[in-house]
Amino acid sequence: MLWTIIGAAAATLTMFSFVPQIFRSLRTRSVKDVSPVTLFQLSTGVFLWMIYGISQKDPIIIVANAITLITLSVLIFLYFRYGRLVK
Amino acid sequence: MLWTIIGAAAATLTMFSFVPQIFRSLRTRSVKDVSPVTLFQLSTGVFLWMIYGISQKDPIIIVANAITLITLSVLIFLYFRYGRLVK
């Protein structure tokens, strides 16, 4: 039971970990210190995790990575939107 | 077999996803657009994943999250190092 709670807390924290970055980027309208390689590498990895979850029929892996992928997509959108403004 | 390869690719990509961000921060010596909340939230989540992996005796969860935690620790160190220089 304790481990289930720890696992759930871990999943929740990591799943939504890019939400503060989204709000910061929206507020400052600047993304020049954010690595686009990190954003794309992580998105590709998270997408493959989602595919892996589908193959294993594991709803937790699917949902957790789908949410992360959505937040990363928003961040990539902001990266290109604000990246052009800065340069 | 295909799914194992996809899972391994997913793990490798996500595990090392902050390495490009480390190199970018080292090169530009600027981290002001990086969200410290994201860094701390993700580190806490990844740490809990590692604890969860230990409880489940799952070496893959342990190693993958340990590596991510190390890269995030380097990034947090750089955040405070360069963060002070900028302001």
Side-chain angles (χ1 to χ4, degrees), chain A residues 25-56:
Chain A
S25 301
L26 281 171
R27 199 174 67 241
T28 64
R29 293 171 161 256
S30 172
V31 289
K32 74 171 176 53
D33 296 335
V34 176
S35 164
V37 185
T38 284
L39 292 182
F40 281 109
Q41 182 176 329
L42 194 53
S43 298
T44 309
V46 164
F47 176 74
L48 290 181
W49 269 129
M50 201 176 69
I51 301 293
Y52 180 78
I54 291 169
S55 81
Q56 304 299 308

Side-chain angles (χ1 to χ4, degrees), chain A residues 3 6-7 10-11 13-14 16-17 20-21 24 30-38 41-42 45 48-49 51-52 55, chain B residues 3 6-7 10-11 13-14 16-17 20-21 24 30-38 41-42 45 48-49 51-52 55:
Chain A
W3 302 124
I6 288 181
L13 284 169
T14 50
F16 295 104
S17 59
Q21 179 68 62
R24 185 183 182 92
S30 172
V31 289
K32 74 171 176 53
D33 296 335
V34 176
S35 164
V37 185
T38 284
Q41 182 176 329
L42 194 53
L48 290 181
W49 269 129
I51 301 293
Y52 180 78
S55 81
Chain B
W3 302 124
I6 288 182
L13 284 169
T14 50
F16 295 104
S17 59
Q21 179 68 63
R24 185 182 182 92
S30 171
V31 289
K32 74 171 176 52
D33 296 334
V34 176
S35 164
V37 185
T38 284
Q41 182 176 329
L42 194 54
L48 290 180
W49 268 129
I51 300 293
Y52 180 77
S55 81

Side-chain angles (χ1 to χ4, degrees), chain B:
Chain B
M1 178 63 184
L2 171 67
W3 302 124
T4 308
I5 293 171
I6 288 182
T12 308
L13 284 169
T14 50
M15 227 174 348
F16 295 104
S17 59
F18 288 96
V19 174
Q21 179 68 63
I22 289 173
F23 281 106
R24 185 182 182 92
S25 301
L26 281 171
R27 200 174 65 242
T28 64
R29 294 170 161 256
S30 171
V31 289
K32 74 171 176 52
D33 296 334
V34 176
S35 164
V37 185
T38 284
L39 292 182
F40 280 109
Q41 182 176 329
L42 194 54
S43 299
T44 309
V46 163
F47 176 75
L48 290 180
W49 268 129
M50 202 176 69
I51 300 293
Y52 180 77
I54 292 168
S55 81
Q56 304 298 307
K57 297 186 176 56
D58 185 322
I60 296 178
I61 296 183
I62 298 169
V63 172
N65 286 287
I67 290 175
T68 309
L69 195 58
I70 291 168
T71 61
L72 284 169
S73 303
V74 173
L75 206 51
I76 287 173
F77 171 78
L78 294 177
Y79 182 84
F80 283 104
R81 186 175 163 86
Y82 297 142
R84 277 185 308 174
L85 290 176
V86 168
K87 283 169 190 171

